[in-house]
């Protein structure tokens, strides 16, 4: 009897070991018609460029099935026959189904099993439409080069605003938001983080969201690097426009800056507090829970302020006079977003609920947001 129990235990251990070796997989399958004998490549769009994962020579029915290890954070892939491409994203053990006809597979495909992939399909089609519209403007008879350039500039600006509002800022933690950042018109990125200050803020917003949902993901780190380089470039450009500048004063940070008026009428930036541990707090004073929460924040402030702790509190109250009354006796930085719950600051920081706070370390680097903090007291002490 004892031997049987030992054998059963050994078998159970073997099963567990085998399961551990079999890593979770995702699957991409479907069919591409009118592509008999064509080679379909399944490629990972790594940060270093496309890497072939698998390939298949298509038969009469065009069926295919690929699989790979499920990534820890959203990752990007593509199906390719020559220059016809279907872009995909994967973030779990999902099964993505694709149906298409060659050679129009890049614009005429259908996708099931992934909301992200469906959004990427929409974005890809819209990008192609933008390119076609730009070409039509260039080829229009009786239009000068300057007129064409002005028209295309307006066209791209409208496209960017639409994509920001309806895709990127809507769900910045999603793979399709990341994908939207890198759309191009010809060989130029539509969103230019290195040359356009507002575009750089869009990159920074997605980077911040990815920090929260996918900590330490390489793609999130890549976005931060791009945003930081862009901020540095912008400061250099602005300094040059002012004729003289001191390169030693140019610095960068990993936090999305906020620049608002405080309750004393002074303009205060979040990055003005560099060198301190900062709680960036989004708050509405006109709620019934406000008083109790303010009292709790006062405890933390009194306990740690002398050691370098500061609070930068962004009010979303509509009534400015009420806000000033409520904040008059508060010792920390109290600023107000004039557009309330429609404020751009909420979009950039992907604030879904109020109140919400973030911790920023002494280097002005975003550390954690409230949902990641289990012990606020311990987190503050670790940063001081």
């Amino acid at each position: 009897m004892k031997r049987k129990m030992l054998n059963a235990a050994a078998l159970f251990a073997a099963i567990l070991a085998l399961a551990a070796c079999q890593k979770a997989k995702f699957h991409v399958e479907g069919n591409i018609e009118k592509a008999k004998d064509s080679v379909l490549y399944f490629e990972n769009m790594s940060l270093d460029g496309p890497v072939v994962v698998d390939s298949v020579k298509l038969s009469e029915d065009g069926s295919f099935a690929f699989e790979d290890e499920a990534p820890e954070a959203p990752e990007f892939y593509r199906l390719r026959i020559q220059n016809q491409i279907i872009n995909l994203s994967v973030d779990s053990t999902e099964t993505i189904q694709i149906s298409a006809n060659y050679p129009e597979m890049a614009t005429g495909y259908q996708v099931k099993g992934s909301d992200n992939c469906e959004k990427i399909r929409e974005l890809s089609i819209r990008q192609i439409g933008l390119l076609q519209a730009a070409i039509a403007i260039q080829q229009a008879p009786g239009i000068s080069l300057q007129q064409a350039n002005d028209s295309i500039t307006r066209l791209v600006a409208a496209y960017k605003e639409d994509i920001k509002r309806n895709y990127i800022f809507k769900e910045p933690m999603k793979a399709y938001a990341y994908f939207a950042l890198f759309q191009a018109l010809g060989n130029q990125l539509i969103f230019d983080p290195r040359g356009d200050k507002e575009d750089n803020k869009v990159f920074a917003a997605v980077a911040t969201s990815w920090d929260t949902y996918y900590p330490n993901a390489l793609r999130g780190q890549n976005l931060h690097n791009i945003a930081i380089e862009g901020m540095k470039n912008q400061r250099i450009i602005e300094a040059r426009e002012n004729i003289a500048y001191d390169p030693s004063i140019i610095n960068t940070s990993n936090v999305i800056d906020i620049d608002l008026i405080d309750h004393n009428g002074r303009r205060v930036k979040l990055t003005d507090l560099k060198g301190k541990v900062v709680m960036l707090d989004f708050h509405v004073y006109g709620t019934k829970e406000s008083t109790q929460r303010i009292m709790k924040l006062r405890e933390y402030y009194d306990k740690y302020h002398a050691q370098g702790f500061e609070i930068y509190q962004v009010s979303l109250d509509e009534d400015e006079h009420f806000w000033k009354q409520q904040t008059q006796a508060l010792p920390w930085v109290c600023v107000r977003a004039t557009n309330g719950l429609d404020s751009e600051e909420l979009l950039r920081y992907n604030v879904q609920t109020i109140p919400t706070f973030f911790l920023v370390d002494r280097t002005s680097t975003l550390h954690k947001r409230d949902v990641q903090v289990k012990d606020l007291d311990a987190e503050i002490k670790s940063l001081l």
Side-chain angles (χ1 to χ4, degrees):
M1 182 68 176
K2 184 176 181 180
R3 176 175 293 180
K4 288 183 179 180
M5 291 179 63
L6 289 174
N7 288 340
L11 178 60
F12 182 68
I15 292 173
L16 288 177
L18 179 61
C21 293
Q22 296 176 337
K23 294 185 177 180
K25 302 277 188 178
F26 70 88
H27 303 269
V28 178
E29 60 189 34
N31 68 293
I32 299 177
E33 298 181 358
K34 302 178 183 179
K36 181 183 178 181
D37 295 331
S38 297
V39 177
L40 175 66
Y41 292 94
F42 180 51
E43 299 173 327
N44 172 219
M45 297 305 295
S46 74
L47 291 174
D48 296 322
V51 177
V52 175
V53 177
D54 201 353
S55 64
V56 64
K57 187 174 183 180
L58 297 175
S59 60
E60 183 72 38
D61 66 358
S63 62
F64 64 89
F66 299 119
E67 67 174 22
D68 200 9
E69 292 183 6
E72 295 181 359
E75 191 51 71
F76 295 88
Y77 295 81
R78 71 182 186 184
L79 296 171
R80 180 178 63 84
I81 300 178
Q82 295 186 14
N83 64 345
Q84 287 290 303
I85 292 170
I86 295 175
N87 290 296
L88 307 169
S89 73
V90 175
D91 59 10
S92 68
T93 56
E94 59 204 324
T95 295
I96 302 169
Q97 296 177 320
I98 301 293
S99 58
N101 290 323
Y102 187 77
E104 296 85 19
M105 63 182 254
T107 56
Y109 73 94
Q110 298 297 317
V111 59
K112 295 181 180 179
S114 170
D115 291 337
N116 267 304
C117 288
E118 173 59 26
K119 292 292 187 183
I120 287 174
R121 184 187 74 85
E122 292 176 13
L123 285 163
S124 298
I125 292 174
R126 298 189 68 172
Q127 178 186 8
I128 292 171
L130 176 67
L131 177 60
Q132 292 172 341
I135 292 173
I137 291 172
Q138 288 180 325
Q139 296 177 347
I143 186 172
S144 68
L145 179 60
Q146 184 62 50
Q147 290 173 324
N149 289 340
D150 290 344
S151 295
I152 291 174
T153 297
R154 290 192 295 270
L155 181 72
V156 172
Y159 181 87
K160 287 166 63 173
E161 188 63 27
D162 185 22
I163 298 302
K164 280 195 295 186
R165 294 293 175 184
N166 294 312
Y167 291 90
I168 297 175
F169 286 154
K170 189 173 183 179
E171 293 184 297
M173 79 296 293
K174 297 289 189 177
Y176 72 81
Y178 184 105
F179 177 85
L181 294 177
F182 295 95
Q183 288 193 298
L185 184 62
N187 60 358
Q188 297 291 323
L189 285 176
I190 295 172
F191 290 95
D192 177 15
R194 294 177 175 86
D196 188 297
K197 182 185 294 186
E198 294 304 312
D199 289 356
N200 185 269
K201 292 177 182 178
V202 178
F203 270 74
V206 178
T208 299
S209 189
W210 277 54
D211 277 349
T212 300
Y213 288 88
Y214 318 109
N216 303 316
L218 290 178
R219 289 191 181 275
Q221 295 173 19
N222 181 55
L223 289 180
H224 266 308
N225 291 338
I226 292 172
I228 290 170
E229 182 183 349
M231 285 188 281
K232 184 174 181 179
N233 287 346
Q234 283 299 312
R235 288 168 183 170
I236 292 174
I237 291 170
E238 290 172 1
R240 285 175 176 170
E241 289 176 349
N242 291 329
I243 302 175
Y245 70 92
D246 178 3
S248 66
I249 68 173
I250 298 171
N251 53 61
T252 60
S253 75
N254 280 331
V255 72
I256 303 171
D257 208 1
I258 297 177
D259 184 358
L260 294 170
I261 304 297
D262 74 359
H263 55 184
N264 295 313
R266 300 173 302 180
R267 183 170 293 279
V268 183
K269 294 182 178 180
L270 177 59
T271 51
D272 289 342
L273 304 179
K274 186 174 183 180
K276 298 182 179 181
V277 173
V278 180
M279 172 186 282
L280 168 60
D281 186 61
F282 293 90
H283 187 80
V284 175
Y285 291 89
T287 61
K288 62 181 181 180
E289 301 85 6
S290 175
T291 300
Q292 183 177 357
R293 187 167 185 273
I294 292 298
M295 291 175 64
K296 189 64 178 176
L297 293 183
R298 187 64 180 260
E299 291 178 16
Y300 287 112
Y301 185 88
D302 291 343
K303 186 175 181 179
Y304 295 113
H305 179 66
Q307 301 175 47
F309 176 68
E310 186 58 82
I311 297 175
Y312 187 97
Q313 192 166 53
V314 180
S315 163
L316 303 165
D317 294 87
E318 297 287 347
D319 189 332
E320 182 178 5
H321 180 69
F322 171 79
W323 163 67
K324 286 185 177 179
Q325 285 184 322
Q326 295 296 309
T327 60
Q328 196 60 46
L330 295 181
W332 53 74
V333 178
C334 298
V335 297
R336 176 175 166 270
T338 55
N339 290 326
L341 296 176
D342 293 325
S343 297
E344 187 176 6
E345 288 78 11
L346 294 183
L347 291 173
R348 293 178 185 171
Y349 276 89
N350 188 34
V351 175
Q352 303 292 332
T353 59
I354 302 295
T356 290
F357 71 83
F358 298 77
L359 290 179
V360 180
D361 70 18
R362 291 183 185 273
T363 66
S364 279
T365 298
L366 199 64
H367 177 64
K368 287 183 179 179
R369 71 185 300 160
D370 50 2
V371 293
Q372 296 174 294
V373 176
K374 296 181 180 179
D375 185 339
L376 181 56
D377 202 86
E379 288 287 350
I380 294 173
K381 284 194 287 188
S382 71
L383 294 173
L384 289 172

